[in-house]
Amino acid sequence: MLISQILDDAETIRVVARNGGKTRIINGARSVYSLAMEAARTGTGLAALIERKGFGEAVDLDAAYKKGRLLSPINHPDPAHLHLTGTGLTHLGSAATRDSMHKKLNTDGAEQLTDSMKMFRMGLEGGKPAKGQMGVQPEWFYKGNGTMAVAPGAALMSPAFAQDAGEEPEIAGIYVIGDDGAPFRVGFTLSNEFSDHVTERVNYLFLAHSKLRNASFGPEILIGDLPSDIKGSSRILRDGKLLWEKPFLSGEANMSHTIANLEHHHFKYSAFRQPGDVHVHMFGTATLSFADGIRTEAGDVFEIEAGDFGLPLRNPLEIEKPVKVAVKAL
């Protein structure tokens, strides 16, 4: 089952679902967030709760997308309580690009093993522990709160000071935190973990800066298990023409970590188990246009798709105007 959120003609949020057939409004669902919290509070599976509520009229999801009426597939009434986070070096092959960005040499000119490659090897050796055991912790980063989330079809805004504006096609887990602090997974979705790879390449300690950018996810959330072998496509359009395209792989068959291990190492922190919060946690990628020498420009359109996840995720690129910040003493 795939679920998403749209705005109807009266500017009211409608939660819609499809399961191989028409897309229909879910009766009595005010938002995906309220639906997920109801499922958590009642101990009802999300799909079962949706079936119990029943369905109303059919909607044209493609038409809503074209009209700019698709919302992020989950949000929070207070954007400060939605957390955008992610993890990297989790996919087989993901170390190659990062390693080339962070090559180091000994004083005699011999190549050293980079920190990226060391972490990648840690994942290969300990990222898929036996059931019930704890695996090695992955790389982790923070992208911001809900104010940084961009709806499907809306523009990803790159700061004027950024040195690069590059896509990262990823699968993200969507979570809500129950009233008792227990995390619940709503499902999985496509995401564009938009980053500044040039800034990151200057110095690996700039990774945190490079990740504080917009992110987009959706348009639809896949309820249920994550397919083990996901095959998708990532592309960039310029002036309506294809500039770059490459397949990307995800799912545990193509990863050095299990989803359970990545989830454990995110939610082991009590700060991320605050009742009522929403988490969008991105699981990493091995495919970047930056690795192929692509430099994006304002007006370029990113498009990420994979068959299991419904409609493709599209976002144009815009560049913010320069801002000078001056702090005043109180």
Side-chain angles (χ1 to χ4, degrees):
M1 182 182 289
L2 294 162
I3 61 173
S4 51
Q5 299 187 128
I6 64 171
L7 277 179
D8 65 14
D9 292 338
E11 302 297 316
T12 300
I13 294 176
R14 299 293 187 185
V15 182
V16 300
R18 57 182 174 142
N19 194 4
K22 291 183 178 179
T23 304
R24 295 186 178 276
I25 293 173
I26 301 171
N27 294 330
R30 299 187 309 276
S31 67
V32 168
Y33 174 70
S34 64
L35 195 65
M37 291 303 294
E38 182 179 348
R41 286 168 179 148
T42 60
T44 307
L46 185 56
L49 177 61
I50 291 170
E51 294 287 352
R52 192 173 74 196
K53 285 181 175 293
F55 302 94
E57 64 182 283
V59 298
D60 187 335
L61 204 57
D62 287 286
Y65 205 171
K66 291 175 183 176
K67 292 178 181 177
R69 291 191 170 275
L70 267 181
L71 304 173
S72 296
I74 194 169
N75 46 30
H76 192 286
D78 179 356
H81 287 277
L82 187 152
H83 306 278
L84 294 171
T85 57
T87 184
L89 298 170
T90 54
H91 284 62
L92 305 176
S94 61
T97 301
R98 186 78 70 81
D99 188 53
S100 66
M101 290 165 60
H102 305 141
K103 289 287 187 186
K104 297 187 291 186
L105 299 178
N106 288 319
T107 54
D108 61 1
E111 190 175 297
Q112 295 184 61
L113 199 63
T114 66
D115 290 337
S116 293
M117 188 57 73
K118 290 176 184 176
M119 181 162 283
F120 178 68
R121 289 186 176 181
M122 288 168 62
L124 287 177
E125 295 167 2
K128 291 186 172 181
K131 189 173 182 179
Q133 295 186 9
M134 185 189 305
V136 67
Q137 64 183 1
E139 175 190 44
W140 183 95
F141 55 82
Y142 175 70
K143 288 191 67 64
N145 59 28
T147 62
M148 302 291 276
V150 171
L156 290 163
M157 304 296 292
S158 183
F161 57 78
Q163 299 184 58
D164 175 53
E167 85 301 329
E168 294 201 18
E170 306 190 14
I171 304 302
I174 306 293
Y175 307 87
V176 295
I177 309 301
D179 296 333
D180 61 353
F184 292 89
R185 187 194 311 118
V186 178
F188 301 95
T189 187
L190 296 174
S191 67
N192 187 341
E193 197 273 284
F194 185 60
S195 300
D196 182 344
H197 302 101
V198 172
T199 291
E200 178 190 346
R201 187 172 60 180
V202 172
N203 189 308
Y204 191 60
L205 296 179
F206 284 164
L207 177 70
H209 289 279
S210 75
K211 296 297 186 182
L212 285 172
R213 301 289 187 269
N214 283 162
S216 188
F217 55 95
E220 302 177 80
I221 297 175
L222 174 67
I223 297 175
D225 295 331
L226 183 71
S228 63
D229 185 16
I230 297 166
K231 295 179 174 66
S233 294
S234 179
R235 61 184 66 93
I236 300 173
L237 305 175
R238 179 171 292 170
D239 299 324
K241 298 178 181 179
L242 184 65
L243 173 69
W244 174 88
E245 183 175 23
K246 207 163 191 176
F248 74 92
L249 300 174
S250 195
E252 288 188 358
N254 303 296
M255 296 173 68
S256 52
H257 287 260
T258 63
I259 297 300
N261 192 52
L262 299 180
E263 290 174 336
H264 165 75
H265 285 295
H266 178 67
F267 290 110
K268 68 184 181 184
Y269 295 100
S270 60
F272 297 147
R273 300 194 308 274
Q274 298 303 302
D277 280 4
V278 174
H279 290 257
V280 180
H281 192 51
M282 301 167 209
F283 296 135
T285 189
T287 304
L288 309 172
S289 65
F290 176 77
D292 292 338
I294 299 296
R295 290 300 302 265
T296 57
E297 300 175 357
D300 288 351
V301 176
F302 302 108
E303 187 173 276
I304 299 167
E305 66 177 341
D308 294 302
F309 296 88
L311 295 177
L313 175 62
R314 299 188 192 98
N315 298 95
L317 170 64
E318 290 187 19
I319 310 298
E320 292 179 342
K321 294 180 180 180
V323 175
K324 186 174 181 180
V325 179
V327 177
K328 298 178 179 179
L330 294 176

